[in-house]
Amino acid sequence: MLSSSSVETVLIGCGAPLSGMGWWHALQLLDGKVPSANLKHVVEPFMLGAGKASPGGVKFAEFAADPRCEGVSFTRDLGSLPKPAGPRLALISGRTGDNPRLLSEAIAAGCTTVYLEKPGAPSVPELEAMAEEARGKGVRVLMGYNKNVAKYVRKVRDFAATAPAGSTVTFVSNNAYENSPESLGECFERNAEGMLKNMAIHELALLVSFYDVTVDTIKSVEADRGYSSVQTLKGPSGKDWT
């Protein structure tokens, strides 16, 4: 049940059900997992636009018609949102390359706080410019590194503190994509910034936050070539991605 003080929340970049990270956020909000946030608007340019007839777009339309979404508006752009009646939270879960623009549009739409999914932007200069814009408008931006506060991370850190000197902790991450050209092609396009910036970024954040890793202390980064492959596949747009 939502609290009477729950904040009006705008989800930007929902993505396809069972695929997009934004959709999982929507589900958590609709199921009352975040009592302080009230999902009022979903902004989804692709699924309500060029991708409307795609398999993901069809599933998205079914999701929008779910009874749980009653009272939630669905729109293609932030400019169509009404003026906020009070504090407005934006949860940005779009493609990384779109995030600098989406942040500016969210600020213009009256969002006073932004939860920005990792890695935030394609480059450090773009992130710095976004931070400067937010500061200038008095908007607070939080970066979504949820593994930093995950229960299993807290447990392993507590356990590691009791282990003998010289012991190590290894993080292993898996993503549930089907081993098919269609599934991986969609993954390649949606996560075009690459595995380090999009997938391993959570583990890198853990290393920086809790294990004193910096750019200067990394000796090497090595790919396991025996367990790797390079593929060029078509994404939903029809473009090739490697």
Side-chain angles (χ1 to χ4, degrees):
M1 180 174 292
L2 295 170
S3 91
S4 58
S5 61
S6 58
V7 175
E8 176 193 357
T9 302
V10 182
L11 174 62
I12 306 167
C14 184
L18 296 175
S19 177
M21 191 66 228
W23 178 82
W24 290 105
H25 286 310
L27 207 62
Q28 291 170 330
L29 291 165
L30 292 170
D31 287 346
K33 302 288 187 182
V34 189
S36 58
N38 182 10
L39 182 61
K40 294 295 292 182
H41 309 283
V42 172
V43 179
E44 177 46 62
F46 182 73
M47 297 297 172
L48 293 174
K52 193 172 185 178
S54 68
V58 173
K59 290 180 180 179
F60 181 81
E62 294 173 354
F63 163 67
D66 189 300
R68 287 177 296 181
C69 294
E70 183 179 356
V72 179
S73 73
F74 288 79
T75 181
R76 291 178 58 179
D77 63 271
L78 281 152
S80 65
L81 296 184
K83 290 184 178 180
R88 175 179 278 178
L89 165 70
L91 198 166
I92 299 179
S93 189
R95 294 184 302 180
T96 300
D98 295 334
N99 283 353
R101 172 180 58 82
L102 292 174
L103 178 71
S104 295
E105 292 179 0
I107 292 173
C111 296
T112 51
T113 301
V114 175
Y115 180 97
L116 181 64
E117 269 292 358
K118 51 74 185 169
S123 67
V124 171
E126 286 169 294
L127 269 178
E128 291 174 336
M130 293 163 71
E132 185 63 30
E133 178 183 7
R135 277 193 296 268
K137 298 292 185 178
V139 173
R140 188 182 186 199
V141 180
L142 308 171
M143 184 67 80
Y145 288 114
N146 57 340
K147 287 188 181 180
N148 284 29
V149 294
K151 185 182 294 184
Y152 74 88
V153 173
R154 294 201 305 269
K155 284 186 173 182
V156 78
R157 291 181 62 224
D158 289 343
F159 178 77
T162 68
S167 300
T168 61
V169 173
T170 300
F171 289 102
V172 179
S173 179
N174 292 290
N175 283 268
Y177 291 97
E178 295 177 5
N179 188 17
S180 68
E182 293 78 19
S183 179
L184 290 177
E186 188 275 336
C187 171
F188 284 12
E189 180 166 343
R190 184 159 49 86
N191 306 307
E193 60 273 16
M195 292 180 69
L196 280 178
K197 281 189 176 182
N198 188 280
M199 296 176 179
I201 193 74
H202 280 290
E203 283 66 42
L204 291 173
L206 289 172
L207 296 179
V208 170
S209 300
F210 302 127
Y211 297 95
D212 300 322
V213 172
T214 69
V215 171
D216 296 328
T217 61
I218 295 174
K219 182 178 181 180
S220 64
V221 178
E222 301 176 14
D224 184 345
R225 293 183 177 274
Y227 198 63
S228 306
S229 68
V230 177
Q231 300 181 36
T232 298
L233 301 170
K234 287 192 182 299
S237 67
K239 296 180 181 178
D240 287 337
W241 300 88
T242 299

